Amino acid sequence: MLELAILGLLQEAPMHGYELRKELAAKLGAIRAAISYGSLYPTLRRLQAAGWITEAAETPATAEEVPALTSRRGRVVYTITAEGKERFAQLIAQAGPETYDDTGFGVHFAFFARTDQATRLRILEGRRRKIEERREGLRDVLGRAAERLDAYTLELQRHGLDACEREVRWLEELIANERSGRAPTVPQPGTAGGRREDNSPPPPGESRKERP
């Protein structure tokens, strides 16, 4: 998954290692916790050995780019090669069981804009089956063992069940959008789920009391 993420980011622009770390954090969000940054540079070396990326000339590091207590030496910039682009195309076209797991799904979903519709749909449907199985397992635990669980463990199981049910609904909406050819709706700034937050300023000529 880290290989896919690195190649995908380098398709957008050449980057040095620290930039890649920042972009991985921004691109993957909460999923980044499942990816070890300790494996970033070994993966970069492996991709370079495979001929999928190459080193460009070193660029001087600025003060903003250098974390505290580290050196301001020049930074190696990595660029993707033609072979690397072919490798990324192969990885992004995969839709097997590894793309349904939490980390695999998250990384693939982050690059859905560059994935064909048929592959997106297969991944979404596979992920839905995965979460439905997880949901049924939690329901079974709650149905059979609820009386033997302490209050906190029971609450944790319910929380997991609620999360599964929300994700299934979200996936069903995405699948319906894919089948109809619609892209997901992107909420505007200051909105939640497409609606303005109550604490956001009203548009000109409208008072808060006039809001629905």
Side-chain angles (χ1 to χ4, degrees), residues 41 67 105 111 136 186 192 210:
Y41 287 97
F105 174 74
F111 294 98
E136 294 311 308
V186 180
E210 293 171 343

Side-chain angles (χ1 to χ4, degrees), residues 2-3 6 38-48 53:
L2 188 55
E3 177 183 316
I6 290 172
S39 61
L40 174 60
Y41 287 97
T43 302
L44 287 170
R45 288 193 293 270
R46 182 169 55 80
L47 295 178
Q48 189 174 2
I53 66 173

Side-chain angles (χ1 to χ4, degrees), residues 94-106:
Q94 293 177 356
E98 71 279 1
T99 66
Y100 311 154
D101 293 332
D102 293 346
T103 303
F105 174 74

Side-chain angles (χ1 to χ4, degrees), residues 18 59-75:
Y18 184 62
T59 59
T62 65
E64 291 78 12
E65 293 174 330
V66 181
L69 304 179
T70 58
S71 169
R72 281 191 63 180
R73 62 183 175 81
R75 292 183 177 276

Side-chain angles (χ1 to χ4, degrees), residues 196 201-207 210-211:
R196 268 198 321 276
E206 180 184 323
S207 68
E210 293 171 343
R211 286 183 171 182

Side-chain angles (χ1 to χ4, degrees), residues 1-67:
M1 290 303 110
L2 188 55
E3 177 183 316
L4 170 61
I6 290 172
L7 292 175
L9 288 174
L10 292 180
Q11 287 245 52
E12 299 173 0
M15 299 181 194
H16 55 64
Y18 184 62
E19 286 177 318
L20 277 168
R21 287 189 61 174
K22 291 195 299 183
E23 290 301 316
L24 283 168
K27 190 82 170 177
L28 302 182
I31 303 159
R32 66 183 182 272
I35 293 180
S36 169
Y37 287 124
S39 61
L40 174 60
Y41 287 97
T43 302
L44 287 170
R45 288 193 293 270
R46 182 169 55 80
L47 295 178
Q48 189 174 2
W52 296 330
I53 66 173
T54 187
E55 292 183 2
E58 290 190 355
T59 59
T62 65
E64 291 78 12
E65 293 174 330
V66 181

